[in-house]
Amino acid sequence: MASRILVQNRRVIEGLQMKFLDDKNPVMPLFLFRSKESVSDWEVTADEKFGGKSRGSFRYDPSIDAAVFEGELSLDPGYSMKKSGFVSINAPHFDPPIDLEDYDALRLKVKGDGRIWVANIKQENRAPFQLFQSSCIIPANQWTDVTLPFRNFLLTWRGMVDADQMPFDATLVERVGLLMAHRKEGPFRLAIKEIAAVNTKELQKEKRYNLI
């Protein structure tokens, strides 16, 4: 009798899990890097565009089944810059902008180099150089999930924190990207398997359900 009740309870729990997953997926993949085509529309921008000496590339590496953002950072100032030392990659524009209101963070599946990296989010109706940014240190030589809560993104203008901060509006996401701006000359490398929007609270619920 007790064993039948346990089986029935287990089925009820499994049913609730399936309903939870059907109602709201706590992970929304934005970019999966599994082919050459997955990186073809991304844009690489470096200070060399303004006379600096930093350079970078973004490519798919089939040996690790991931994209690789790598290059060389130089702090030599360009002819039209007071400061240099940046390289960025930017995704194609979402047209129309995507609504991430059901999510509270950006998650990166990455293998880094121990440097400081910056995630960029461009919000619709913002000036071209106005971005929401959040920084993190990505461990070297190991695959890891890096979660960046939206609440930690700060409004910036040309890389400087904007004095007039405004809350991030997740309903108007136009573009995402990554920036190498660690003030240290030399090579950099970041391997990326996935960029996703996640609902951290729902993920925690799912983990608790799976432990039952």
Side-chain angles (χ1 to χ4, degrees):
M1 178 66 177
S3 62
R4 285 202 303 272
I5 292 174
L6 287 174
V7 170
Q8 290 172 352
N9 287 343
R10 183 67 183 179
R11 287 174 178 170
V12 169
I13 291 167
E14 290 173 349
L16 289 172
Q17 286 179 309
M18 291 304 297
K19 183 178 186 303
F20 163 73
L21 292 174
D22 289 340
D23 287 348
K24 178 189 285 187
N25 192 331
V27 179
M28 178 182 176
L30 301 177
F31 298 98
L32 300 172
F33 299 105
R34 300 290 186 271
S35 67
K36 291 181 179 179
E37 292 72 24
S38 65
V39 302
S40 60
D41 292 329
W42 282 64
E43 178 185 3
V44 179
T45 302
D47 60 32
E48 63 180 351
K49 182 178 179 180
F50 309 98
K53 297 180 181 179
S54 300
R55 55 184 176 80
S57 65
F58 190 51
R59 60 183 175 83
Y60 171 71
D61 185 344
S63 67
I64 58 172
D65 192 26
V68 175
F69 175 28
E70 61 186 351
E72 188 89 14
L73 202 70
S74 171
L75 302 182
D76 288 345
Y79 58 80
S80 64
M81 304 173 64
K82 293 182 178 179
K83 290 185 178 180
S84 62
F86 73 86
V87 186
S88 68
I89 52 173
N90 293 289
H93 289 269
F94 295 116
D95 187 15
I98 58 172
D99 183 350
L100 300 180
E101 187 177 18
D102 290 334
Y103 306 90
D104 62 2
L106 205 63
R107 188 179 71 185
L108 316 174
K109 289 184 177 291
V110 289
K111 180 165 65 172
D113 53 7
R115 279 179 173 266
I116 298 172
W117 292 83
V118 177
N120 301 328
I121 300 180
K122 177 72 171 66
Q123 187 176 297
E124 189 185 36
N125 300 327
R126 290 285 166 199
F129 295 103
Q130 205 169 31
L131 300 170
F132 283 90
Q133 296 185 311
S134 181
S135 62
C136 62
I137 297 176
I138 298 179
N141 305 317
Q142 65 182 52
W143 286 105
T144 186
D145 286 355
V146 176
T147 301
L148 302 170
F150 290 151
R151 67 177 181 274
N152 291 347
F153 279 75
L154 296 176
L155 185 63
T156 64
W157 171 260
R158 293 183 180 269
M160 304 297 290
V161 176
D162 199 316
D164 298 321
Q165 286 294 305
M166 299 185 68
F168 172 68
D169 187 348
T171 67
L172 297 171
V173 175
E174 184 179 280
R175 200 179 196 189
V176 299
L178 293 168
L179 169 69
M180 165 43 61
H182 188 179
R183 304 296 295 170
K184 179 182 178 181
E185 290 192 316
F188 63 84
R189 177 184 169 92
L190 182 69
I192 315 165
K193 284 186 177 291
E194 178 183 308
I195 299 175
V198 296
N199 186 314
T200 57
K201 294 179 181 178
E202 297 298 339
L203 279 175
Q204 287 300 319
K205 288 181 184 178
E206 184 178 293
K207 288 180 181 179
R208 288 198 293 270
Y209 290 148
N210 289 333
L211 289 175
I212 298 176

